Amino acid sequence: MTSTTFESKPLRTAPVVPHGSLPATTYIPAVPPFRAYRPRPERWWGLLCMAGWLALWWLATELRWVPPLFLPPPDAVLRAFGQAWHGDIQGGDPLWVHAQWSSLRVFGAFVLAVLTAVPVGMAMGVNRWAQALLEPVLEFYRPLPPLAYLPLVVIWLGIDEASKWLLIYLACFAPIALAARAGTRNASAEQINALRSLGATRWQLLRHAIAPAALPDILVGLRIAMGFAWTTLVAAEMVAATQGLGQMVLNASNFLRTDIVVMGIFVIGAIALALDALLRWLERWLLPWHGR
């Protein structure tokens, strides 16, 4: 048998450089702080796109690509706005009266939904008995369109304001409650265990850990619910309403006044955009740390 011998080789070590004597070309780059990627749309491009759509609308009506009965020209919509503002349309009420009634119905039902849906959603997220009791009902009625249970609401509450408020309230309740339930899962186990080790009660856990963690999802749910509220408004004001933007649009469609219909759509969209901007400002004010 032959024996194999291994030669020991000296280990290669990096040269030792005394402290403070690094070469001039050696440097350690600074690591930039981490920021979540949040693309910001260019406002100028948005304005240019909007101007392009308006120009296309004017061109389509000027060249008679679309009959005025189906798409009125922009100047006809502006004249309809002036007539509606002074009340020179069917019904006789000025435009600001219709906008006032619609905003009152939407905002009132929305506030009631926030005050009730947020506690219900958070209770479903932290208590399994509340989830077992409330989640089946919520998941059952959430996919239903408001027009499906509109006749039942009229039978229960009549044709007064209560039926309209309830219809908008039900449209807002589900998305807010689901958002609040999903947001309760954002609280980390480390936060919960740290507060428990300090002797925190359940109310203190909910107030100092679960509620702040759920707030981003709740605010997103509020924005979604606001869109559902304005979507349901027209259906709610179809129930024997005499004032309201939805009633004004519906009444104008009966007389084939498409200029008033388009004008009402723009007014509803403008008010909805203003309320959405208010909610986004509220999100930036309450959550300056979110996404940073």
Side-chain angles (χ1 to χ4, degrees):
M1 296 178 64
T2 59
S3 60
T4 305
T5 59
F6 296 93
E7 296 181 359
S8 60
K9 296 182 180 180
L11 297 176
R12 295 182 179 181
T13 59
V16 179
V17 181
H19 179 70
S21 60
L22 289 176
T25 58
T26 303
Y27 66 94
I28 301 176
V31 179
F34 172 78
R35 291 183 180 273
Y37 177 69
R38 301 177 67 182
R40 297 181 178 179
E42 295 291 341
R43 294 184 178 180
W44 289 107
W45 284 107
L47 294 176
L48 287 177
C49 291
M50 186 180 299
W53 284 111
L54 292 176
L56 181 61
W57 176 21
W58 174 83
L59 188 63
T61 55
E62 185 69 19
L63 299 180
R64 299 289 180 174
W65 294 347
V66 182
L69 179 62
F70 298 102
L71 182 64
D75 55 345
V77 175
L78 290 177
R79 288 194 302 268
F81 180 82
Q83 293 175 1
W85 184 263
H86 297 289
D88 298 333
I89 58 175
Q90 294 84 6
D93 291 322
L95 177 62
W96 62 270
V97 173
H98 293 290
Q100 180 181 4
W101 276 99
S102 296
S103 301
L104 179 63
R105 289 162 182 156
V106 169
F107 190 73
F110 178 78
V111 171
L112 290 178
V114 172
L115 294 178
T116 54
V118 171
V120 167
M122 296 190 69
M124 292 169 57
V126 299
N127 190 290
R128 63 178 181 271
W129 296 109
Q131 182 177 2
L133 179 64
L134 299 173
E135 186 176 15
V137 179
L138 186 65
E139 292 294 341
F140 172 76
Y141 101 88
R142 181 179 61 86
L144 297 177
L147 289 177
Y149 47 83
L150 175 60
L152 186 61
V153 172
V154 173
I155 294 174
W156 286 349
L157 301 176
I159 59 175
D160 293 332
E161 290 296 316
S163 60
K164 304 173 183 59
W165 282 52
L166 180 60
L167 199 66
I168 301 174
Y169 170 84
L170 292 175
C172 297
F173 185 89
I176 298 176
L178 292 178
R181 185 193 66 179
T184 56
R185 302 176 183 176
N186 294 336
S188 63
E190 291 80 5
Q191 293 175 331
I192 301 297
N193 293 331
L195 288 175
R196 283 180 175 176
S197 64
L198 295 174
T201 62
R202 284 195 172 185
W203 170 252
Q204 290 173 336
L205 288 175
L206 184 65
R207 177 182 176 185
H208 297 287
I210 299 177
L215 193 56
D217 286 353
I218 292 175
L219 291 176
V220 173
L222 295 186
R223 294 180 60 187
I224 297 174
M226 181 59 72
F228 285 166
W230 283 101
T231 304
T232 315
L233 174 68
V234 177
E237 291 181 343
M238 288 173 60
V239 186
T242 56
Q243 291 91 11
L245 294 174
Q247 190 275 336
M248 182 189 70
V249 170
L250 184 64
N251 191 23
S253 65
N254 294 330
F255 293 93
L256 299 180
R257 291 292 305 272
T258 52
D259 52 348
I260 299 179
V261 173
V262 174
M263 182 270 301
I265 292 173
F266 274 106
V267 172
I268 293 175
I271 298 176
L273 283 177
L275 293 176
D276 185 74
L278 179 62
L279 291 175
R280 283 185 291 177
W281 173 84
L282 185 65
E283 180 180 1
R284 291 193 299 267
W285 180 61
L286 292 176
L287 306 172
W289 46 267
H290 186 57
R292 297 181 180 272

